[in-house]
């Protein structure tokens, strides 16, 4: 411990003298580092190696007694001790102050720090110091934790060079084949570059090297103090997986490779010398098999291929859309939007994120097409301060929200394919997409590294990075997601038999789920604003039953806060329309509110059910077009100013309300396109911005057919229409016109002697306003004559009435409305 204190004091002096480094971090938000590579592209072997040297008689692995000497001499002596300590402590100090994972990892910082500090001395070579930094960062168990010396990292991987490559997040030009890991830890060949020197084929298995299984070799090499390259850590399954992923990439450390040939079942022990003839362009190690007519994204930025982060198309002989989402860099947001927008009319979507290297695109434009519901999803947590290792939730959910407040959305199956090579924003966006009710996940857990990529220092030739954040669901604060296994609905992975046939079993499992799922979609209501105790819901939905099973379906009503309040059966509408199901029921006991509708389909044949949640909305809040103020500006030019009213008794319309106006064909111009008003309390009337209208003089017919479409939170609940007669010429003004017959509650109420009743007529009519006692006897007639359209106030004098409950009723043509009042003495 004294040595550590001495070195820390010495470091302060060194830093003040050298002043050659700095680091910065914003504690309140993530930092995106555009210079940080999406994945690693180490320098492959020198194709001219055999011109100046021969293939070694003994491999690096066979020279175990010389490993330290080889590491020390490959890159030569290390920097002066002061510089090595400066680099180490630059990283260590930031980790101590800012790293987000101490609690979840249960790290003993002093032990970790001193373990690696004590390995650094005057004689520590460049290669040995690079390995110390590699291992120091690796113990943070997160894909963003990196401490790499790029002068070591970019060494050509000629035979015998002591660099270990791990993880799938490395392009494979050094090996020429894409691999994956089987349950027994063997390495399966998925795809192979043409004319591979080892004649590898899909379905072949790399067992190991020189007669030793790779799972044993990698542990030995990893613990030998060899510099290594690759992202690992994350959840336990991903960490184990990535430690095994370098089997093919590390051929330069051995003389022979052990291959189990799929075609013959033979185990071959092949010389690796032919690998020196391999010369390939960059090739991403994406654990995916090709999809016909849908190219892989060009994530390695191959100049000979079109640039892309996202590619898409439709699976052959289906109407299933397929999207490769490889990362969230550059133009991924626009590319993902284009993909979803192009495929939104398909029968299902498969979003393949098995290789996703992150970035900072949140894909909001595309997700807004998929979702119809606002979701907060995730938020960050950062270190509370530098003196403790605790995290403080930031509640910055707005950065990760999904708007989705539109009735039109993708209400059909969405299969998301995941795997350990999906990390960072790949992890995050997988969790965000999980909020969609139709999404299910296939494959393996994603990496579990959601912590953000933050620079720990600006030191020449060094990549020093760490995760500064953890994340949590906003509805579950304190339950952090870093290093957690992602919940997979259908665990499935590659196997040699399918791969040898060119079959991707993860894709096939997703297709099987899509093609056999009984579910409801395309739910439509007769209208979205309903009057309690009066209106009936007429709902139709399409019920998919691909296996012709015995099904039942239920329409579920939830209040806007997701509380179930009612349900009713849905039945098939007709034999010749077997996919169309219908439900009809009267709204009787639902209070003024906004409501969600979901469709639950039970498959009685196999005992399963599937609920498509929150497919559409309706409201029982009565909003009306109270009146119109019409002015004529000039011949055939008018302004129409609407007044809208929340006619409810207690439920406010809390969100901003938007109003669009449609008018009949001779209206050639309307501005603005949309008017807005703030929230409306019960009984409140709001005046909107006036719409300006211009008319075609040749077709104008002296009236307007007006339709006001009124929305809240993007949902067009209310459609208010009326016909207004106007004159085409001469300038005049019309009085404010009520558009509905209406009887308001008297005020004051209760009352002693006098009270006022407001009422209105949309059209001239004989109006009768009468008062009845609780037995139904008429006790007063307040109005009984023809009245023109307009608004009225009538005074009632109750001085002759005994105290009690009374009812007053307005009749005008077919309109009848009754209200209760109370007389007190």
């Amino acid at each position: 411990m004294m040595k550590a204190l001495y070195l820390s004091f010495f470091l302060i002096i060194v830093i003040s003298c050298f002043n050659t480094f700095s680091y910065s971090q914003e504690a309140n938000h993530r930092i995106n580092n555009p210079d940080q590579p999406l994945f690693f592209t180490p320098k492959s072997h020198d194709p001219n190696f055999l011109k100046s040297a021969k293939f070694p008689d003994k491999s690096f692995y066979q020279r175990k007694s010389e490993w330290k000497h080889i590491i020390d001499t490959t890159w030569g002596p290390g920097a002066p001790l002061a510089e090595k300590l400066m680099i180490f402590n630059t990283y260590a100090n930031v980790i101590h102050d800012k790293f987000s994972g101490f609690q979840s990892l249960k790290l003993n910082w002093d032990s970790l720090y001193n373990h690696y500090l004590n390995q650094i001395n005057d004689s520590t070579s460049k290669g040995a110091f690079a390995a110390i930094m590699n291992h120091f960062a690796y113990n943070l168990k997160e894909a963003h934790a990196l401490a790499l010396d790029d002068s070591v990292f970019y060494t050509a991987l000629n035979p015998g060079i002591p660099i270990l490559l791990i993880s799938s997040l490395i392009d494979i030009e050094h090996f020429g084949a894409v691999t994956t890991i089987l349950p027994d830890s063997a390495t399966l060949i998925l795809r192979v570059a043409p004319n591979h020197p080892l004649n590898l084929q899909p379905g072949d298995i790399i067992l190991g090297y020189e007669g030793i299984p790779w799972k044993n070799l990698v542990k030995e090499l990893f613990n030998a103090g060899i510099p290594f390259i690759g992202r690992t850590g994350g959840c336990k399954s991903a960490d184990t997986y990535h430690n095994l992923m370098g089997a093919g990439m590390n051929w330069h450390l051995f003389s022979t490779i052990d291959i189990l040939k799929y075609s013959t079942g033979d185990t071959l022990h092949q010389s690796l010398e032919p690998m020196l003839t391999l010369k390939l362009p960059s090739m991403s190690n994406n654990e995916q098999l090709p999809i016909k007519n849908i190219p892989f994204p060009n994530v390695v930025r191959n100049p000979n291929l079109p640039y892309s982060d996202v590619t898409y198309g439709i699976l052959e002989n289906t109407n299933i859309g397929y999207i490769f989402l490889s990362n969230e860099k550059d133009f991924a947001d626009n590319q993902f939007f284009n993909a979803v927008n192009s495929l939104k009319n398909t029968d299902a979507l498969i979003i393949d994120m098995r290789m996703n290297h992150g970035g900072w695109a949140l894909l909001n434009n595309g997700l807004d097409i998929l979702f119809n519901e606002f979701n907060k999803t995730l938020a960050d947590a950062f270190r509370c301060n530098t003196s403790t290792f605790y995290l403080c939730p930031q509640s910055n959910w707005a950065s990760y929200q999904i708007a989705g407040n539109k009735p039109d959305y993708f209400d059909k199956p969405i299969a998301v394919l995941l795997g350990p090579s999906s990390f960072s924003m790949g992890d995050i966006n997988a969790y965000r997409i999980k909020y969609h009710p139709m999404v299910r996940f296939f494959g393996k857990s994603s990496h579990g590294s959601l912590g953000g990529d933050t620079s720990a220092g600006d030191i020449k030739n060094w990549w020093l990075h760490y995760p500064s954040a953890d994340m949590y669901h906003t509805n579950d604060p304190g339950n952090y997601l870093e290093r957690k296994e992602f919940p997979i609905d259908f665990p499935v992975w590659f196997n040699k038999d399918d791969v040898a046939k060119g079959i991707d079993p993860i894709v096939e499992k997703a297709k099987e789920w899509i093609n056999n799922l009984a579910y409801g979609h395309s739910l439509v209501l007769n209208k979205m604003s309903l009057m309690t105790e009066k209106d009936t819901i007429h709902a139709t939905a399409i019920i998919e039953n691909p296996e012709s099973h015995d099904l039942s379906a239920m329409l579920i009503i939830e209040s806007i806060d997701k509380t179930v309040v009612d349900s009713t059966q849905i039945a098939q509408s007709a034999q010749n329309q077997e996919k169309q199901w219908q439900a009809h029921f009267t709204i009787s006991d639902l209070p003024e509110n906004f409501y969600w509708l979901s469709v639950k389909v039970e498959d009685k044949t196999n005992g399963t059910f599937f609920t498509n949640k929150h497919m559409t909305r309706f409201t029982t809040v009565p909003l009306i077009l109270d009146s119109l103020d019409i002015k004529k500006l000039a011949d055939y030019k008018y302004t129409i100013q609407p007044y809208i009213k929340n006619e409810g008794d207690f439920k406010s319309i809390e969100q901003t309300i938007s109003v669009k106006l449609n008018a009949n064909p001779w209206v050639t111009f309307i501005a603005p396109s949309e008017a807005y008003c703030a929230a409306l309390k019960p009984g409140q009337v709001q005046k909107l911005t006036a719409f300006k209208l211009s008319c075609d003089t040749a077709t104008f017919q002296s009236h307007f057919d007006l339709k006001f479409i009124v929305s809240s939170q993007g949902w067009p609940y209310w459609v208010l229409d009326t016909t207004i007669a106007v004159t085409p010429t001469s300038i005049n003004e019309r009085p404010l016109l009520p558009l509905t017959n209406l009887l308001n509650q008297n005020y004051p109420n209760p009352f002693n002697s006098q009270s006022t009743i407001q009422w209105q007529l949309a059209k001239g009519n004989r109006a009768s306003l009468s008062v009845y006692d609780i037995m139904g006897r008429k006790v007063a007639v307040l109005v009984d004559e023809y009245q023109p359209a307009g608004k009225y106030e009538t005074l009632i004098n109750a001085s002759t009435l005994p105290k009690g409950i009374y009812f007053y009723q307005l009749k005008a043509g077919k309109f009848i409305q009754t209200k209760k009042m109370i007389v007190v003495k």
Side-chain angles (χ1 to χ4, degrees):
M1 190 65 187
M2 288 300 295
K3 179 180 179 182
L5 292 172
Y6 169 79
L7 287 173
S8 298
F9 174 76
F10 179 69
L11 176 65
I12 296 172
I13 299 174
V14 170
I15 291 173
S16 63
C17 296
F18 277 80
N19 195 29
T20 58
F21 70 96
S22 64
Y23 71 87
S24 63
Q25 180 198 350
E26 297 289 342
N28 294 323
H29 63 82
R30 293 168 177 271
I31 297 175
N32 182 38
N33 291 280
D35 296 330
Q36 177 66 15
L38 289 172
F39 48 89
F40 298 105
T41 307
K43 189 174 181 181
S44 186
H45 63 278
D46 182 355
N48 297 315
F49 175 79
L50 290 180
K51 293 181 180 179
S52 58
K54 67 183 184 71
F55 196 76
D57 295 328
K58 293 180 67 177
S59 69
F60 173 82
Y61 183 72
Q62 292 167 344
R63 300 170 65 188
K64 289 185 181 182
S65 62
E66 303 173 71
W67 280 359
K68 182 179 183 306
H69 172 73
I70 295 171
I71 294 168
D72 290 343
T73 57
T74 297
W75 296 281
L81 177 61
E83 184 177 341
K84 287 182 286 195
L85 291 174
M86 180 270 292
I87 294 169
F88 177 80
N89 279 293
T90 294
Y91 193 59
N93 289 342
V94 176
I95 298 306
H96 177 276
D97 291 349
K98 303 292 185 180
F99 174 56
S100 59
F102 281 105
Q103 285 182 275
S104 60
L105 283 175
K106 297 180 172 56
L107 275 180
N108 184 315
W109 171 246
D110 289 338
S111 295
L112 180 68
Y113 175 84
N114 288 315
H115 174 77
Y116 289 105
L117 177 66
N118 291 334
Q119 296 179 35
I120 305 169
N121 54 48
D122 284 315
S123 63
T124 305
S125 68
K126 186 178 184 68
F129 181 67
I132 290 169
M133 294 298 293
N134 293 160
H135 283 269
F136 186 31
Y138 171 78
N139 278 274
L140 305 182
K141 296 295 183 182
E142 222 269 5
H144 300 99
L146 299 170
L148 296 176
D149 181 344
D150 64 9
S151 61
V152 173
F153 168 66
Y154 283 119
T155 304
L157 298 176
N158 293 331
I161 293 298
I163 294 179
L164 178 68
L165 290 90
I166 56 177
S167 99
S168 65
L169 305 174
I170 301 176
D171 78 13
I172 59 165
E173 64 180 82
H174 183 54
F175 181 57
V178 176
T179 63
T180 191
I181 304 301
L182 295 176
D184 64 356
S185 300
T187 302
L188 176 65
I189 304 294
L190 293 182
R191 306 195 320 271
V192 185
N195 304 312
H196 195 278
L198 299 180
N199 193 30
L200 297 176
Q201 300 296 325
D204 290 348
I205 292 175
I206 302 174
L207 299 174
Y209 293 91
E210 300 178 10
I212 302 173
W214 173 248
K215 63 182 179 181
N216 297 338
L217 291 170
V218 70
K219 292 178 182 178
E220 185 178 4
L221 292 166
F222 189 81
N223 294 324
I226 301 171
F228 65 85
I229 301 167
R231 297 182 187 270
T232 184
C235 66
K236 184 176 181 181
S237 66
D239 187 31
T240 301
Y241 189 91
H242 282 277
N243 285 340
L244 294 168
M245 272 297 289
M249 294 292 293
N250 287 285
W251 64 264
H252 59 281
L253 301 176
F254 304 94
S255 60
T256 61
I257 187 170
D258 308 318
I259 304 292
L260 176 61
K261 296 296 293 181
Y262 180 82
S263 58
T264 63
D266 296 331
T267 298
L268 304 183
H269 306 281
Q270 296 178 258
S271 169
L272 287 163
E273 186 170 354
M275 288 294 289
L276 293 172
T277 66
L278 178 69
K279 185 177 182 181
L280 292 175
S282 293
M283 181 176 174
S284 177
N285 192 11
N286 54 311
E287 295 164 89
Q288 298 154 322
L289 294 186
I291 302 294
K292 188 174 182 179
N293 300 323
I294 309 174
F296 292 130
N298 180 17
V299 295
V300 294
R301 305 298 184 255
N302 186 330
N304 299 318
L305 297 173
Y307 171 85
S308 61
D309 293 319
V310 180
T311 54
Y312 62 92
I314 295 178
L315 292 180
E316 189 177 34
N317 300 321
T318 75
N319 192 32
I320 299 174
Y322 200 99
I323 301 173
F324 284 113
L325 175 58
S326 66
N327 61 64
E328 286 84 4
K329 285 274 190 178
D330 303 315
F331 303 105
D333 204 339
N334 287 337
Q335 292 176 8
F336 184 70
F337 167 79
N338 291 335
V340 174
N341 195 46
S342 297
L343 301 173
K344 64 184 180 182
N345 294 320
T346 55
D347 294 336
L349 283 178
I350 296 176
I351 303 176
D352 194 337
M353 298 174 63
R354 285 176 289 177
M355 178 193 69
N356 188 294
H357 295 150
W360 190 236
L362 288 161
L363 310 179
N364 288 336
N365 293 329
L367 293 178
D368 284 352
I369 297 175
L370 296 179
F371 283 78
N372 73 338
E373 183 177 1
F374 174 83
N375 288 279
K376 283 187 175 181
T377 76
L378 309 179
D380 286 306
F382 293 90
R383 289 275 295 281
C384 300
N385 52 60
T386 60
S387 60
T388 71
F389 294 147
Y390 294 109
L391 297 178
C392 286
Q394 296 296 299
S395 297
N396 61 337
W397 55 263
S399 297
Y400 308 99
Q401 68 184 8
I402 297 174
N405 281 319
K406 298 176 183 176
D408 184 22
Y409 78 114
F410 196 85
D411 62 350
K412 298 174 184 177
I414 303 174
V416 178
L417 315 187
L418 278 188
S421 298
S422 181
F423 83 106
S424 190
M425 193 57 74
D427 285 306
I428 293 170
N429 279 332
Y431 275 111
R432 294 174 74 223
I433 294 171
K434 185 176 172 60
Y435 280 79
H436 196 290
M438 295 301 292
V439 166
R440 296 296 183 270
F441 288 85
F442 297 76
K444 288 179 176 287
S445 172
S446 58
H447 198 283
S449 292
L450 303 82
D453 181 20
T454 311
S455 173
D458 182 14
I459 300 176
K460 186 178 180 181
N461 295 329
W462 279 89
W463 293 344
L464 300 176
H465 291 262
Y466 74 102
S468 59
D470 209 324
M471 299 200 78
Y472 60 95
H473 292 283
T474 57
N475 60 2
D476 193 14
N479 185 8
Y480 295 117
L481 301 175
E482 278 273 73
R483 304 170 191 86
K484 291 280 182 69
E485 302 283 337
F486 189 96
I488 298 296
D489 300 292
F490 297 91
V492 58
W493 204 241
F494 295 98
N495 63 81
K496 62 181 181 179
D497 294 325
D498 283 335
V499 169
K501 299 171 186 174
I503 297 171
D504 189 322
I506 302 94
V507 174
E508 292 303 309
K509 187 67 176 179
K511 288 166 59 179
E512 177 188 339
W513 172 69
I514 290 168
N515 292 329
N516 292 284
L517 182 65
Y519 72 100
H521 63 93
S522 304
L523 178 63
V524 177
L525 302 182
N526 54 322
K527 56 181 180 177
M528 296 178 67
S529 61
L530 303 165
M531 299 293 291
T532 301
E533 300 181 359
K534 178 180 178 182
D535 279 343
T536 298
I537 286 182
H538 300 281
T540 62
I542 302 299
I543 306 295
E544 300 290 344
N545 187 11
E547 298 295 301
S548 299
H549 286 177
D550 181 16
L551 303 182
S552 66
M554 185 79 70
L555 192 65
I556 300 171
I557 303 173
E558 298 176 59
S559 59
I560 206 67
D561 66 358
K562 313 293 176 61
T563 302
V564 175
V565 295
D566 206 347
S567 63
T568 189
Q569 289 288 333
I570 313 176
Q572 284 180 285
S573 57
Q575 206 54 36
N576 60 347
Q577 292 181 313
E578 61 179 20
K579 283 191 175 184
Q580 188 177 83
W581 292 45
Q582 296 180 333
H584 312 279
F585 66 100
T586 301
I587 300 296
S588 57
D589 300 320
L590 295 182
E592 293 170 14
N593 206 339
F594 295 86
Y595 296 92
W596 283 111
L597 282 175
S598 305
V599 172
K600 178 181 178 180
V601 175
E602 182 180 0
D603 189 330
K604 296 182 178 180
T605 302
N606 60 24
T608 62
F609 66 88
F610 191 92
T611 303
N612 195 344
K613 294 183 178 180
H614 307 151
M615 299 170 68
T616 192
R617 298 182 183 185
F618 69 90
T619 184
T620 55
V621 178
L623 184 144
I624 64 168
L625 189 59
D626 183 70
S627 55
L628 289 178
D629 189 3
I630 303 175
K631 292 182 174 66
K632 188 172 294 181
L633 302 177
D635 288 356
Y636 303 100
K637 294 182 183 294
Y638 300 83
T639 63
I640 297 180
Q641 187 164 51
Y643 290 73
I644 59 174
K645 179 181 181 181
N646 178 353
E647 205 182 16
D649 294 324
F650 62 91
K651 179 63 178 178
S652 293
I653 304 170
E654 297 172 352
Q655 303 294 328
T656 298
I657 298 164
S658 66
V659 181
K660 293 183 178 180
L661 172 60
N662 292 340
N664 42 25
W666 44 85
V667 176
T668 58
F669 174 80
I670 301 176
S673 60
E674 199 164 0
Y676 300 91
C677 73
L680 274 176
K681 296 179 180 178
Q684 184 179 6
V685 177
Q686 185 79 261
K687 178 176 72 173
L688 300 177
T689 301
F691 292 93
K692 294 181 180 180
L693 280 65
S694 297
C695 305
D696 184 339
T697 59
T699 61
F700 187 63
Q701 296 183 17
S702 299
H703 70 275
F704 290 130
D705 295 323
L706 303 175
K707 180 179 288 186
F708 295 90
I709 302 169
V710 187
S711 301
S712 177
Q713 289 189 306
W715 289 75
Y717 292 107
W718 304 274
V719 178
L720 313 173
D721 52 17
T722 188
T723 298
I724 299 296
V726 292
T727 56
T729 60
S730 74
I731 306 301
N732 63 13
E733 292 188 11
R734 296 188 56 170
L736 199 63
L737 294 178
L739 298 180
T740 57
N741 296 327
L742 183 63
L743 178 64
N744 285 326
Q745 186 65 51
N746 65 304
Y747 67 92
N749 186 45
F751 67 100
N752 187 336
S753 57
Q754 290 186 334
S755 184
T756 299
I757 300 172
Q758 292 182 334
W759 52 284
Q760 66 186 42
L761 297 178
K763 296 179 181 180
N765 212 326
R766 184 175 184 84
S768 171
L769 181 61
S770 303
V771 179
Y772 299 84
D773 66 16
I774 197 168
M775 301 301 293
R777 296 180 296 240
K778 186 183 294 186
V779 297
V781 176
L782 307 178
V783 177
D784 189 17
E785 60 185 336
Y786 178 87
Q787 298 284 358
K791 294 189 174 186
Y792 298 91
E793 287 189 356
T794 299
L795 186 67
I796 177 172
N797 189 329
S799 59
T800 61
L801 296 177
K803 68 177 181 179
I805 297 174
Y806 294 86
F807 299 91
Y808 59 98
Q809 184 178 78
L810 175 65
K811 293 182 180 180
K814 295 182 179 180
F815 175 80
I816 301 176
Q817 190 169 6
T818 304
K819 298 281 186 179
K820 182 173 71 173
M821 64 183 182
I822 300 175
V823 176
V824 294
K825 298 293 184 178

